[in-house]
Every structure is written in structure tokens, then in C-alpha cells.
Amino acid sequence: MDLSCSGVILAGGRSSRFNGINKAFMDLHGRPVIEPVAALLGQMFSRMLIITHDPLAYLPWDAGLVTDLFSARSSLTGIHAGLFYSPTPYIFSVACDTPFIRRSVVELVLSELEPGVDAVMPQTPAGLEPLCAAYARQSLAVVERHLRQEKFKIRRVFENLRVKVIPAEKVMEADPNLDTFFNINTPADLETARSRLEKQKKGP
């Protein structure tokens, strides 16, 4: 387990495309969507936090349950809460709806951490992946300043900070199909995830 970094799961989204139903708990072949994410981070980190507006719903998981300190709903407010409550100098932050997250990618991100770096972000052909990235606690004040100014774009926050970008080629060596970055944003995504798991279950 990594003792210098906490695992942080962002679970405070509105789930507006699911009529407000919390997608973290939607069934994915007998397990809630969040379960694979929580299981992996629980294995890799000595400290895990779940950022949520409904802490009681997440009691089954062995994690610290905290809420955003700012009322605006955004991924940046979740990262801010993770940095604020984390007892470690770094956090690895990931969305709750990424059930195919690969340990190899998390390990790759952690391997790129070094003193003076404010964030480590993987890059894919689609661009930077700030919701599967590591952040240094030293960036907390800058993040908070942007939130107070109602500037919620993660990439804008880190424009003037030291960000280490992992090139897409290196990321794809760790995860050739980029499964890690598959998000369940819509009902169609949920069906796609179920179909993928069904195929895996049946085998070749």
C-alpha cells in the first residue's frame, strides 16, 4: 500500500442522466458500479476517502466519508475536499463510475510523483484525464482560490502549476484498450458496461 498517497473516490455527482438515481449503486452484474473502484483503491492505499453528499449510503465501504466544503457541484470541489481531508501529501482521485479501472494505470500515475509536482495526469488520444490523476496537497490553496472565484475547470486551475503529463503512448502500454477511462455517464454507457462484462464472463 502507498503510505504517501490517499485514494479518493468522487461520488458527489448529480446523476442527472439517470433521473437523479445514484449511478454509483446501479447494478453491474451483481455488484454496484462503485464496487470495482473501491475494491482496487482499498487494496492499493492505506487511506481511502469517498467524497459524497450522502455519507450514510456508503457505510458498507471501509473508507472515510466526507462531503464537499463548497456547495457548487463539480469535480473540482470533490478534489478540493479530498486534498483538504487527506492526511497524506498526495491523493489519487478517480470517479466512482469507472468500473474497468486498471491497477497498472494507477501504479503508473503513482510512479510519476515527485517532489515539486502539483499533479500527475494521464493523457489519452481524447486528451488529459484529470479524473484519474494524482494531486499534491500543496496545491490546495490554489484550488480553493479558484473555487471561491467560481472557476470550476480542473485544467484551468493547474495551468500555472507544475503538472506532469504522462504521454498517451505510455498510458496505452499500461492499458492498451484504455478501459480505465470508460465512464458510465448515460444509460447507454451502463448497458455497454453490462455487455462487456457478459462477454468477459462467457470468455472467448
Side-chain angles (χ1 to χ4, degrees):
M1 287 187 177
D2 194 302
L3 300 178
S4 66
C5 189
S6 298
V8 172
I9 301 176
L10 305 181
R14 296 179 184 275
S15 297
S16 56
R17 295 176 184 174
F18 290 91
N19 296 319
I21 299 173
N22 192 338
K23 60 184 175 181
F25 300 120
M26 290 191 170
D27 180 74
L28 200 56
H29 272 252
R31 297 198 299 174
V33 167
I34 191 177
E35 176 58 30
V37 184
L40 178 60
L41 267 59
Q43 293 169 9
M44 297 189 68
F45 299 100
S46 60
R47 173 72 169 168
M48 183 169 70
L49 298 173
I50 298 177
I51 316 298
T52 172
H53 294 283
D54 185 13
L56 291 177
Y58 294 86
L59 286 177
W61 283 274
D62 184 16
L65 305 174
V66 298
T67 60
D68 294 331
L69 285 87
F70 287 83
S71 59
R73 292 281 191 97
S74 74
S75 298
L76 186 62
T77 56
I79 290 171
H80 172 268
L83 290 169
F84 182 88
Y85 288 108
S86 172
T88 56
Y90 301 100
I91 65 169
F92 176 84
S93 180
V94 65
C96 68
D97 61 346
T98 54
F100 302 113
I101 185 171
R102 296 285 182 262
R103 185 186 185 103
S104 55
V105 172
V106 182
E107 290 175 341
L108 174 61
V109 172
L110 297 180
S111 73
E112 297 291 336
L113 286 171
E114 60 179 297
V117 169
D118 294 296
V120 176
M121 292 187 193
Q123 189 173 43
T124 69
L128 291 175
E129 299 289 348
L131 297 186
C132 184
Y135 298 92
R137 202 168 191 275
Q138 65 195 20
S139 65
L140 178 61
V142 177
V143 173
E144 185 164 321
R145 184 168 68 248
H146 277 73
L147 287 172
R148 291 189 184 280
Q149 296 171 353
E150 298 187 351
K151 298 176 180 177
F152 303 116
K153 291 188 179 296
I154 299 173
R155 297 176 193 181
R156 292 292 299 275
V157 173
F158 288 88
E159 278 180 349
N160 298 316
L161 295 176
R162 187 180 174 193
V163 177
K164 196 170 185 181
V165 176
I166 306 176
E169 296 79 10
K170 196 168 184 179
V171 175
M172 293 180 74
E173 288 177 7
D175 185 359
N177 296 320
L178 299 176
D179 293 329
T180 295
F181 309 100
F182 177 87
N183 286 83
I184 297 178
N185 292 319
T186 66
D189 293 335
L190 182 61
E191 289 308 312
T192 297
R194 288 170 174 166
S195 295
R196 289 178 61 172
L197 286 175
E198 186 64 30
K199 289 179 181 178
Q200 292 175 12
K201 184 178 179 181
K202 291 180 179 178

